């Protein structure tokens, strides 16, 4: 604390990102990055960009990238907003579309940036407990609210909410913005994007960090009715006109256009996940059903922090959340390559012996 700080800064509780260790040779399964590199077409697009002029500002409207995203989903560029990672897109959503008189609703176990943005933008919120099986029950969200936000699949549980349930939620909430954060949808879920034509209050958020292997490029987007998109553009143009640099725009557009590479890598991650789940279950772990590129697993009532520390001693990093108490036995494990997952299974077998 310092006398120079504003009261806003004093009150903040910032998000704590997963560790990015400086050590080499670690098996890094803690921040849900893709174990495979981005499409070779992305690398080509970046090289072309180096050859061109970095002297000039990038396109403030990211038109080519928004066109590529719209084309992928059969939508119009006016349905698409892009930002510097989906975290930035989410931040603008909190400020532009979720700040109303009533509190917003989100699950008690969910992406921990939601309470952080609520704090930053002074958005009131109410946490809705997941069921005993760590699922979202849509009936709990049928109550007065200033907006609704949740990841699907949820993080860090990996559990998927069926599209029919999302539609039931939208029908019950015609006057609230409903944000579905689909950071992990391409690992086995069905996207709510086709529902935006029918529900003008629906905003679907995606990232290129996970299924498209571009966490380092920082690109995310929101898809919805043009009125919702316009609200986000107004915030962006009051904050930073150029959130996506030339590399981000060119690389992300190339990633959206390489369908074959995307299909191949996401299927590989899903196949590795199924094998890892089977291996952990045979060791006696309980693993929640996952539709994401990570799993949430526990060994009986053993403390997840203790197992996480034991793995770390063997150069394997996974993520542990100590709050709320009912998730303390779990570890969140990112799906790596087959080889990395084998190393994890061997290490756990040794630890439990
Ligand atoms: C990873 C993640 C994001 C953020 O992704 P970036 O585009 O890298 O900022 C957003 N929401 C959820 C649920 C995530 O897991």
């Amino acid at each position: 604390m310092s006398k120079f700080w504003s009261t806003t800064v004093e009150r903040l509780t910032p998000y704590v990102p997963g560790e990015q260790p400086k050590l080499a040779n670690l098996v890094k399964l803690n921040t849900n990055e893709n174990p495979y590199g981005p499409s070779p077409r992305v690398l080509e697009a970046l090289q072309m960009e180096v050859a061109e002029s970095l002297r000039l500002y990038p396109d403030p409207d990211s038109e080519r990238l928004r066109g590529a995203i719209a084309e992928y989903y059969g939508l119009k560029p006016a349905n698409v907003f892009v930002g510097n990672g989906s975290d930035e897109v989410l931040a603008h959503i909190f400020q532009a579309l979720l700040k109303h008189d009533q509190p917003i609703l989100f699950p008690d176990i969910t992406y921990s940036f939601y309470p952080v943005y609520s704090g930053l933008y002074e958005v009131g919120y109410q946490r809705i407990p997941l069921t005993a099986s760590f699922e979202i029950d849509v009936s709990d969200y049928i109550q007065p609210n200033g907006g609704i936000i949740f990841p699907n699949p949820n993080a860090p549980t990996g559990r998927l909410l069926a599209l029919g349930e999302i539609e039931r939620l939208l029908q019950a909430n015609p006057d609230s913005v409903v944000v579905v954060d689909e950071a992990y949808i391409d690992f086995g879920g069905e996207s709510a994007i086709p529902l935006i034509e029918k529900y003008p209050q629906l905003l679907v958020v995606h990232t290129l960090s996970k299924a498209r292997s571009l966490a380092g490029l920082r690109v995310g987007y929101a898809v919805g009715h043009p009125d919702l998109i316009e609200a986000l553009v107004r915030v962006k143009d009051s904050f930073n006109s150029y959130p996506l640099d030339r590399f981000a725009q060119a690389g992300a557009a190339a990633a959206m256009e390489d369908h074959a590479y995307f299909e191949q890598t996401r299927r590989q991650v899903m196949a590795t996940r199924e094998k890892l789940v089977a291996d952990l279950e045979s060791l006696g772990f309980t693993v929640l059903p996952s539709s994401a590129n990570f799993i949430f697993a526990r060994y009986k009532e053993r403390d997840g922090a203790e197992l996480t520390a034991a793995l770390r001693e063997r150069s394997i990093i996974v993520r542990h959340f100590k709050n709320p108490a009912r998730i303390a036995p779990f570890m969140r494990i990112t799906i790596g390559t087959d080889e990395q997952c084998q190393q994890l299974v061997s290490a756990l077998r040794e630890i439990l012996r």
Side-chain angles (χ1 to χ4, degrees), residues 74-75 79 193-200:
L75 300 168
N79 294 115
I193 287 178
L195 296 177
I196 68 161
E197 306 276 6
K198 203 161 145 201
Y199 298 98

Side-chain angles (χ1 to χ4, degrees), residues 54-65:
L54 286 177
R55 182 177 68 77
L56 301 172
Y57 281 105
D59 173 9
D61 304 317
S62 298
E63 274 183 32
R64 180 161 124 60
L65 172 57

Side-chain angles (χ1 to χ4, degrees), residues 85-87 90 111 114 151 155 181 183-184 207-210 218-220:
S86 62
D87 285 339
L90 290 167
Y111 187 38
Y114 303 157
D181 179 353
Y184 303 103
T207 174
L208 277 79
S209 299
K210 317 285 170 46
R218 311 305 303 131
V219 182

Side-chain angles (χ1 to χ4, degrees), residues 76-80 196 200 203 223-233:
K76 303 218 160 55
N79 294 115
V80 182
I196 68 161
L203 201 56
V223 173
H225 188 282
D227 289 350
L228 300 184
I229 301 304
E230 190 187 338
L232 301 178
V233 172

